[in-house]
Amino acid sequence: MSDNNTRRPVLYSGIQPSGRIHLGNYAGPMQNFLLLEKDYDCLFCVVDLHALTIRNTPADLRRQTMELAALYIASGLDPKQSIIYCQSHVPEHAELAWVLNCYTYMGELSRMTQFKDKSSRHKDNINAGLFTYPTLMAADILLYQTDVVPVGADQKQHLEITRDIAERVNALYGDVFRVPEPYIPKTTAKIMSLTEPERKMSKSDEEDSFVAVLDAPDVIRRKFKRAVTDSLAEVRYDPENQPGVSNLLAILSATSGTGIETLVNEMAGQGYGILKERTTEAVIERLKPLQAEYARLMKDKVYLNEVLKDNAQRASALAQRTLRKLYKKIGLYQL
Ligand code: TRP
């Protein structure tokens, strides 16, 4: 992170440590992070406090948190430059979330579609944390005077409420928070399910529908063998009429770096066998360095913990600046 005179725009992203990272996350958002790191001061957060809003097995949560942190680093992000850290290691997140709760209305939170959706799916556990999830997310973002937040469609509403809260506080007390903008990536591959290619690839669907980035080569081979195609027997990019084949092309293009049009020309008149084979091998090849680096990191917990500790301290120092400014402005007695 740079000092004030050379301030680069700040980018914030959080991923929940719930379940496995798959090609859809990796080929899209995570690959893009590598490019963004060149132009932005980035924070990549493992949002473990958010994960508490649904029930977890403690050992799983702990392991998945560690794994996600290692994956961020293994993907090539530089933890000396970008701040890669765990949310619960920086207490300012929970502190700011409390204050923001006092500037957020029940009505606003009740309108959040993710809350409505999650509370209807987990009827036995509609907890207050699920309800105030967006204020914790707003705290994540606002603590660091964030300029941009890469968001998919499902998180747009949460960024909107973050902006509303920031503007509300600013209107009351003068400039406290930078009001963040959504970052819409220019070109990200949209990776669909292998078994139902009309739907986005999702870790909550059946195992064969997604390729986890840590899947072993033989698992990846099996999954692509079972991937849905069609009976038109022509390699064409036509997501509407040939969603399965188009998805394979998109995956091959994203992992090999070759444009879809070139690929289609290369495979004109050939069957789907070759498309599947090339896609499989491109994915395995692409994931190889990531998996190797990941394995290396997981064997070196001392290094990994050092990185996380160091980065939590860097985050905390930045967060405290915002928190102090806010506390002063809203009338909390300062020592
Ligand atoms: N709510 C986000 C999701 O489920 C995760 C998240 C938490 C986040 N805090 C964030 C994303 C801050 C961006 C910025 O995907």
Side-chain angles (χ1 to χ4, degrees):
M1 293 265 150
S2 36
D3 59 36
N4 272 334
N5 341 334
T6 58
R7 189 182 186 280
R8 297 202 304 168
V10 175
L11 179 143
Y12 196 96
S13 176
I15 300 184
Q16 285 203 43
S18 56
R20 291 180 294 160
I21 298 292
H22 55 71
L23 266 188
N25 314 119
Y26 183 63
M30 290 188 85
Q31 278 302 105
N32 220 12
F33 291 161
L34 286 179
L35 300 173
L36 294 168
E37 199 181 44
K38 294 190 181 60
D39 298 321
Y40 294 87
D41 278 349
C42 298
L43 294 105
F44 298 108
C45 186
V46 180
V47 291
D48 52 355
L49 296 174
H50 276 114
L52 299 178
T53 54
I54 54 170
R55 286 288 165 266
N56 298 283
T57 308
D60 289 348
L61 178 58
R62 198 157 24 238
R63 182 175 39 78
Q64 287 167 358
T65 298
M66 178 85 169
E67 286 175 359
L68 182 53
L71 263 185
Y72 269 129
I73 300 169
S75 75
L77 294 170
D78 177 4
K80 287 228 179 318
Q81 192 191 330
S82 294
I83 299 182
I84 297 170
Y85 73 110
C86 296
Q87 192 182 30
S88 69
H89 295 172
V90 180
E92 288 81 5
H93 287 251
E95 292 179 61
L96 179 59
W98 167 255
V99 177
L100 297 184
N101 274 335
C102 302
Y103 294 87
T104 307
Y105 298 109
M106 302 285 285
E108 292 179 291
L109 292 173
S110 309
R111 284 195 293 276
M112 294 291 118
T113 51
Q114 184 173 294
F115 171 70
K116 289 192 262 186
D117 181 46
K118 283 197 181 164
S119 49
S120 74
R121 278 191 288 130
H122 304 273
K123 282 212 166 50
D124 52 335
N125 185 21
I126 306 179
N127 60 70
L130 199 59
F131 190 62
T132 58
Y133 181 112
T135 53
L136 179 58
M137 179 161 159
D140 300 340
I141 296 165
L142 299 179
L143 271 178
Y144 302 96
Q145 306 294 342
T146 298
D147 294 87
V148 294
V149 183
V151 277
D154 64 321
Q155 296 300 315
K156 249 185 154 158
Q157 203 181 22
H158 287 161
L159 188 62
E160 273 309 310
I161 196 177
T162 300
R163 291 169 51 87
D164 291 343
I165 297 167
E167 279 167 355
R168 185 171 304 146
V169 171
N170 286 349
L172 286 165
Y173 305 106
D175 277 351
V176 180
F177 299 123
R178 193 171 281 263
V179 181
E181 301 285 339
Y183 175 88
I184 316 286
K186 286 173 200 81
T187 51
T188 42
K190 198 167 169 205
I191 308 287
M192 314 301 276
S193 156
L194 298 184
T195 49
E196 290 172 86
E198 301 80 13
R199 297 159 47 104
K200 257 174 76 172
M201 187 174 276
S202 162
K203 63 192 172 195
S204 40
D205 286 343
E206 57 143 338
E207 175 70 30
D208 276 349
S209 71
F210 65 87
V211 175
V213 296
L214 296 175
D215 275 346
D218 54 324
V219 175
I220 296 176
R221 287 198 182 95
R222 190 197 72 216
K223 288 181 175 176
F224 278 112
K225 267 206 187 99
R226 296 190 185 165
V228 167
T229 52
D230 54 54
S231 54
L232 298 174
E234 205 171 327
V235 178
R236 253 189 321 217
Y237 188 74
D238 179 359
E240 192 79 359
N241 300 307
Q242 296 185 248
V245 170
S246 302
N247 189 37
L248 291 174
L249 281 168
I251 294 173
L252 177 54
S253 172
T255 44
S256 67
T258 310
I260 289 183
E261 223 171 294
T262 311
L263 293 170
V264 170
N265 289 337
E266 284 171 5
M267 286 182 277
Q270 304 190 52
Y272 295 153
I274 183 94
L275 172 61
K276 281 195 171 185
E277 211 176 285
R278 283 187 64 179
T279 308
T280 307
E281 295 315 311
V283 168
I284 291 173
E285 224 21 63
R286 184 52 175 270
L287 294 179
K288 209 182 257 172
L290 174 79
Q291 295 185 348
E293 181 61 7
Y294 173 82
R296 197 185 66 76
L297 287 168
M298 290 307 271
K299 274 193 224 119
D300 194 353
K301 298 268 160 62
V302 174
Y303 167 75
L304 200 54
N305 287 345
E306 235 167 56
V307 167
L308 291 178
K309 193 169 169 193
D310 182 52
N311 278 309
Q313 282 169 357
R314 292 167 69 204
S316 180
L318 293 169
Q320 275 186 32
R321 279 201 237 163
T322 300
L323 206 55
R324 288 227 188 80
K325 184 167 160 195
L326 174 72
Y327 279 11
K328 200 165 152 197
K329 293 224 186 204
I330 61 180
L332 297 179
Y333 181 60
Q334 307 286 295
L335 293 175

